[in-house]
Amino acid sequence: MAISYHKVELKTIVQICDTIDRIISHSLGPRGSKILLATETGQVIISSDGKTVLRKLQFGHPVARLIIDSMTRTVSFTGDGSKTFILYLSKFFHELLQQEFKSTSHNDCVFALQKIKFEISSKLGSFIKSKIPGSERVISSGTVCEILRTSLSNSFQERIIEHYVTMMNEAVCTHGQDEQVIINNIRYMADNFYQFCVKVPSLPYSESKTLSPFLIQRRFAVYSQNDLFQYVIFIICLFPITGHQKNVETREIIRLKNESSLIRFMDHHHYFLQKFVEMCKTKNIQLILCSEQVSDQALQLFALNGISVVQYVAEEDCDWLMSSLKMSPSTSIFDTLESNMLHSAKSCKPLILNGRQCVHLELDCQLHLPKMLIICAPTEGLCNQAFLNLKKSLKTISSFLSSDIPKGLTDEDGNENFGTEISVIGGGGTFEFLVAEFLSEYSQRESSCSIKLICKLLSTAVLQLPRILFHNNSPSKQLDFKLLLVLSEKINNSRHAGKYLGIDKNGQVSNLFDNGVLELVEPKIHILLSVLELMQQVLRIDYFVGVKNINHNNEDSNEHDE
């Protein structure tokens, strides 16, 4: 075994960051390009999501893996921002290399980054609120729709975006504009997105719709339409309904020696099934959801007694129903059905989605649950992309709803509202221009030369994002430095006048805050802090150790060949 020590130089770090940057930078913004990736197994992926693409790539260098892991953890919390993370990091190290920092100066750089990180975490949020009046908003359906519209603009056309936004608005605003209901629905849907979102490929986008919960992606084994009852009473069975108790641990096998033994066994089997069906009939149960198999004989008995049956229900669906409805399951055919095992639904009907049979169990509206999303797209890949974008948008909003402390805010009419506060600003690089101004003011207050230099490098790093946005959104797809300087000067002049502009989807400067192109402040701050933390980690690395097995038979084999 040989151990080799490899020195980690700043030039190597820059090369790694530039490689990752080149992969995803062209997909930034509403007019960014799609990335086509072919994996080792032959799978072809077309996506503009940075996290999806980078996780599919196999990076061998330890520093590259450290960057990807840190980005993945950050995006798992914020919901989005993988490209922003990489752009900040890559441009900072690129600028740091141009300053010809020696390895002995890395400690000063790490110390400066630590102080800047503390300053940003404690003061940047209040700085942004003071610079942009109206950035503090009470959560409402309108604010949610604007944030969703901005998030989806990177992947879809305007017509499709409006359809998805309208659909999401119907899903979370189930009881009008009640703020607490909207917040609860957003959080609930973000935490249970796989249960509340159903993908249906091979259909146009316009077929996407909302549906009252809950949809079970299984077909009826027995369907008995019964209109005599106003509600459908159902139970959840977590055992195979076969008439005899199955011993999974011992895997016992019943051997029947003669015909009389078979008859007695079948009669015994039928007796317990009949008793269970009669108990269900006595409790007015019209639906049985079973996570295991239901025998043919049991299905016949349920059909004769007008009881519908759905077998092989997914365990995740059973768990969600039991936790949401606070009901207990039946675990054995010999159990007595208690009241806490029963629950009622408004209706239970078969539903066909693109030829696939499902069961629509419409639950009681008093539960205040969000509606389910039926996401349709022409192909399975586009369907997965829509699913991922909606999930990221909800995750971003849900992670930063500070509902613990209600605050009094003033709306446009001057009325004071008490509700959940979120901080939003315009997109298109507005946050990056604010961060650059914040770092400029902070560096003027500091006397340390290293802090002044790092603030300058960080300002250049964060401003790389609006530069890439301008490049990707401009009609020519070319970086016109003269036009970029004119736009930057216009943005700086407007900033001195109290207005903060950004780069729109046409590559022009506009007030995106007034145009409803919004993004949350807290996720962006969290991404920036995560990048600063990773910068410190990378600069502290001096060597990485490589271990290699040595084949001692090489010399013998060489001599034998000679």
Side-chain angles (χ1 to χ4, degrees):
M1 180 180 292
I3 299 177
S4 58
Y5 295 88
H6 302 274
K7 185 174 179 60
V8 179
E9 298 180 351
L10 188 59
K11 185 177 180 181
T12 305
I13 297 173
V14 171
Q15 291 174 348
I16 293 171
C17 292
D18 285 346
T19 301
I20 301 174
D21 189 341
R22 285 195 298 269
I23 295 173
I24 62 173
S25 61
H26 293 286
S27 63
L28 180 70
R31 301 205 176 195
S33 306
K34 302 287 184 184
I35 300 173
L36 188 147
L37 175 67
T39 63
E40 294 180 351
T41 59
Q43 182 185 10
V44 177
I45 299 173
I46 301 176
S47 177
S48 60
D49 180 61
K51 179 183 174 182
T52 301
V53 173
L54 293 178
R55 291 193 67 181
K56 291 291 183 181
L57 297 175
Q58 301 295 329
F59 291 98
H61 200 282
V63 175
R65 292 201 295 268
L66 176 64
I67 293 172
I68 300 302
D69 291 342
S70 179
M71 179 272 296
T72 303
R73 288 193 301 269
T74 302
V75 174
S76 298
F77 180 74
T78 60
D80 201 359
S82 56
K83 291 186 280 289
T84 302
F85 186 99
I86 298 299
L87 286 172
Y88 288 172
L89 187 72
S90 174
K91 187 61 177 177
F92 173 79
F93 282 126
H94 195 274
E95 293 295 319
L96 190 63
L97 180 63
Q98 291 184 352
Q99 294 295 327
E100 297 182 353
F101 252 77
K102 298 180 181 179
S103 60
T104 55
S105 303
H106 283 185
N107 290 332
D108 296 335
C109 183
V110 170
F111 177 75
L113 285 170
Q114 182 64 33
K115 289 201 66 175
I116 294 171
K117 178 186 173 186
F118 176 78
E119 190 75 10
I120 289 175
S121 62
S122 59
K123 298 181 180 179
L124 180 57
S126 57
F127 173 82
I128 292 175
K129 293 175 185 178
S130 65
K131 291 294 182 177
I132 302 183
S135 61
E136 301 179 29
R137 291 193 177 184
V138 174
I139 189 68
S140 65
S141 62
T143 305
V144 173
C145 288
E146 289 172 347
I147 296 173
L148 286 172
R149 191 176 290 110
T150 304
S151 178
L152 296 175
S153 63
N154 296 343
S155 305
F156 301 102
Q157 299 176 356
E158 292 185 6
R159 175 179 56 85
I160 302 171
I161 292 172
E162 291 303 321
H163 185 75
Y164 280 145
V165 169
T166 303
M167 185 176 65
M168 188 68 74
N169 187 36
E170 293 177 0
V172 299
C173 301
T174 53
H175 293 271
Q177 299 295 324
D178 186 272
E179 175 207 339
Q180 195 58 45
V181 173
I182 295 175
I183 293 172
N184 292 338
N185 284 345
I186 291 174
R187 285 177 168 170
Y188 199 87
M189 183 175 285
D191 294 337
N192 302 274
F193 197 73
Y194 286 94
Q195 274 71 42
F196 274 83
C197 186
V198 178
K199 294 180 284 187
V200 184
S202 304
L203 286 178
Y205 289 109
S206 58
E207 294 294 323
S208 301
K209 59 183 179 180
T210 59
L211 191 69
S212 301
F214 186 69
L215 187 70
I216 301 172
Q217 299 186 57
R218 291 289 186 271
R219 65 179 183 88
F220 278 106
V222 172
Y223 178 58
S224 300
Q225 189 172 3
N226 197 336
D227 299 329
L228 298 178
F229 299 96
Q230 186 176 2
Y231 288 92
V232 176
I233 300 176
F234 66 94
I235 61 172
I236 298 176
C237 297
L238 302 182
F239 62 92
I241 306 178
T242 57
H244 64 278
Q245 206 164 12
K246 182 179 179 181
N247 195 331
V248 180
E249 296 180 357
T250 60
R251 300 181 179 273
E252 62 181 5
I253 300 175
I254 300 175
R255 297 185 181 275
L256 303 174
K257 296 181 179 181
N258 49 47
E259 185 177 352
S260 60
S261 300
L262 176 61
I263 294 174
R264 285 197 302 272
F265 174 77
M266 295 299 294
D267 291 341
H268 182 78
H269 177 85
H270 182 78
Y271 170 76
F272 283 110
L273 280 178
Q274 186 68 39
K275 192 173 181 180
F276 181 75
V277 172
E278 289 176 357
M279 183 167 51
C280 294
K281 194 69 175 178
T282 304
K283 298 289 186 178
N284 293 326
I285 295 173
Q286 295 104 47
L287 174 66
I288 294 178
L289 303 177
C290 184
S291 62
E292 302 287 343
Q293 179 189 7
V294 182
S295 65
D296 294 339
Q297 186 179 11
L299 292 176
Q300 293 177 2
L301 290 173
F302 286 128
L304 291 174
N305 288 272
I307 300 175
S308 302
V309 179
V310 182
Q311 60 181 347
Y312 299 117
V313 179
E315 293 184 3
E316 295 82 3
D317 293 345
C318 292
D319 293 340
W320 181 88
L321 287 169
M322 289 186 294
S323 61
S324 300
L325 305 179
K326 295 179 174 59
M327 60 183 299
S328 301
S330 175
T331 57
S332 172
I333 198 171
F334 308 107
D335 288 346
T336 302
L337 298 179
E338 304 292 342
S339 59
N340 60 347
M341 298 181 181
L342 312 180
H343 205 279
S344 61
K346 294 177 65 176
S347 65
C348 183
K349 299 178 181 178
L351 181 67
I352 298 178
L353 294 175
N354 195 26
R356 184 174 59 187
Q357 298 183 17
C358 303
V359 176
H360 182 206
L361 181 66
E362 187 174 359
L363 302 176
D364 193 351
C365 60
Q366 294 181 356
L367 297 172
H368 301 300
L369 294 173
K371 292 185 178 180
M372 298 187 68
L373 302 176
I374 309 298
I375 297 182
C376 302
T379 65
E380 186 175 356
L382 293 174
C383 203
N384 291 331
Q385 182 180 0
F387 177 89
L388 181 63
N389 279 275
L390 290 172
K391 180 185 175 183
K392 290 194 303 182
S393 304
L394 276 178
K395 178 68 176 178
T396 302
I397 300 172
S398 172
S399 299
F400 297 93
L401 285 177
S402 54
S403 60
D404 297 331
I405 306 176
K407 297 184 179 181
L409 304 176
T410 304
D411 60 15
E412 297 176 354
D413 299 329
N415 300 320
E416 190 174 19
N417 295 326
F418 290 88
T420 301
E421 173 196 350
I422 59 172
S423 299
V424 293
I425 57 174
T430 305
F431 174 80
E432 283 69 26
F433 289 115
L434 285 165
V435 171
E437 183 178 354
F438 175 82
L439 292 173
S440 176
E441 294 183 5
Y442 173 61
S443 64
Q444 293 176 5
R445 299 194 302 267
E446 288 289 331
S447 58
S448 172
C449 295
S450 59
I451 292 180
K452 288 179 178 293
L453 178 60
I454 297 302
C455 283
K456 179 182 177 182
L457 300 183
L458 282 175
S459 298
T460 306
V462 296
L463 290 177
Q464 178 70 1
L465 188 139
R467 293 190 191 99
I468 298 298
L469 271 179
F470 170 75
H471 171 265
N472 293 346
N473 293 349
S474 60
S476 62
K477 292 286 184 181
Q478 295 180 356
L479 188 57
D480 190 339
F481 288 100
K482 292 183 179 179
L483 180 58
L484 181 60
L485 289 175
V486 173
L487 295 180
S488 300
E489 184 178 356
K490 184 177 180 180
I491 291 174
N492 290 329
N493 294 334
S494 64
R495 186 176 62 194
H496 294 305
K499 294 183 179 180
Y500 288 83
L501 307 180
I503 308 296
D504 63 11
K505 62 181 180 180
N506 297 318
Q508 301 297 321
V509 173
S510 63
N511 192 333
L512 300 178
F513 185 81
D514 294 340
N515 295 339
V517 181
L518 305 180
E519 59 185 9
L520 290 170
V521 174
E522 287 83 358
K524 300 281 285 190
I525 295 178
H526 184 84
I527 292 171
L528 180 58
L529 294 175
S530 300
V531 171
L532 293 174
E533 180 67 28
L534 180 60
M535 290 173 183
Q536 297 175 63
Q537 292 181 16
V538 172
L539 289 174
R540 289 193 184 105
I541 300 174
D542 294 325
Y543 296 91
F544 71 88
V545 180
V547 180
K548 183 178 181 182
N549 292 325
I550 298 177
N551 188 359
H552 296 285
N553 296 324
N554 285 343
E555 296 180 0
D556 297 337
S557 62
N558 292 335
E559 293 176 359
H560 179 73
D561 292 339
E562 291 177 359

